[in-house]
Each structure stands twice: as C-alpha cells, then as structure tokens.
Amino acid sequence: MKKLEDTGLLVARILMPILFIVAGYGKMGDAYAGTQQYMQAMGVPGFLLPLTILLELGGGLAILFGFLTRTVALFTAGFTVLTALLFHINFAEGVNQLMFMKNLTIAGGYIVLAVAGPGGFSIDHLLNKKW
C-alpha cells in the first residue's frame, strides 16, 4: 500500500506544478513587462514580479522534485488564494468566477500535499526531512 501511496503522491507532484512552471517561465521573457503592467493595473506593485516568478518557477520545480515540499506547498496554496482574491473577484466577467474557483481548487490540492508530504519518491525522502 505504501508504494501505491508514494506513486500517487509522485503523480500529484508531477501534475500539480505544471501550470506554475510554465507560467513562471513565461513571465521571464517578453511577457515580463506586460505582466508587470497588468499587476500594477490591478493594484499589485510591479516589484513583486520577481518573487512571483521565483514562487511559480522555483516553487513549481521544488514540488516536482519533492524538495521542501510541505513548506513550498503551503506558500503556493497561500499565493493561489491571494491571486484569486486580487485578480479574479470581478464575477461580472464570466471567466473570473471560473478562475476564482480553479484557484481555490488548486490551493486545496496544495494543502493536501502539505499535509500528506511528498511521498517516498522525493528529495525530501532521500534527505529524510519533514520540513
């Protein structure tokens, strides 16, 4: 049963951060200035963009490989809820309600990962760390 649990957590760690890794990487190139402008238009200081990229790309890779999993999962859950509250509360725009619920669902998944841990197929397991 432990191998099945470890395999399930590995699959979750592969699937969950894809969105964040792609989004963080995408913000580093030509989209940097546009993303910064969008953040500022929504009332979020543009100087926070490097931290956003760090959490999305770096945190996504950390989750993927199972490194600092519980801590990164909690930060990612908080970031995702905050993003929902800052960018997706205008339900008059149809897609925002869906994006808001998507973000809450993602945050829930990361909270489960923070509680369950990374499983046996992870750097955390190799280092014997609970973080």
Side-chain angles (χ1 to χ4, degrees):
M1 194 58 129
K2 180 76 171 123
K3 289 293 182 199
L4 180 61
E5 181 181 314
D6 287 341
T7 302
L9 288 167
L10 174 63
V11 170
R13 284 195 354 262
I14 291 168
L15 296 175
M16 290 174 65
I18 291 171
L19 173 69
F20 292 92
I21 293 168
V22 171
Y25 181 76
K27 287 177 178 81
M28 291 186 348
D30 295 336
Y32 189 93
T35 302
Q36 196 170 41
Q37 289 173 350
Y38 177 70
M39 288 172 64
Q40 291 171 338
M42 299 300 286
V44 177
F47 71 83
L48 293 176
L49 183 54
L51 293 175
T52 300
I53 293 169
L54 179 64
L55 181 64
E56 288 180 342
L57 181 59
L61 291 171
I63 293 292
L64 177 67
F65 293 110
F67 180 65
L68 300 171
T69 306
R70 293 175 192 263
T71 303
V72 173
L74 286 175
F75 274 106
T76 305
F79 169 80
T80 307
V81 169
L82 187 60
T83 302
L85 294 171
L86 290 172
F87 296 102
H88 302 302
I89 58 170
N90 182 5
F91 294 158
E93 293 178 19
V95 73
N96 272 331
Q97 185 174 8
L98 180 63
M99 296 295 280
F100 185 87
M101 291 185 295
K102 172 201 60 97
N103 279 29
L104 295 183
T105 302
I106 291 169
Y110 275 105
I111 291 169
V112 169
L113 188 60
V115 171
F121 306 121
S122 66
I123 293 174
D124 288 344
H125 181 75
L126 289 174
L127 298 175
N128 199 25
K129 298 287 184 182
K130 297 284 185 194
W131 304 109

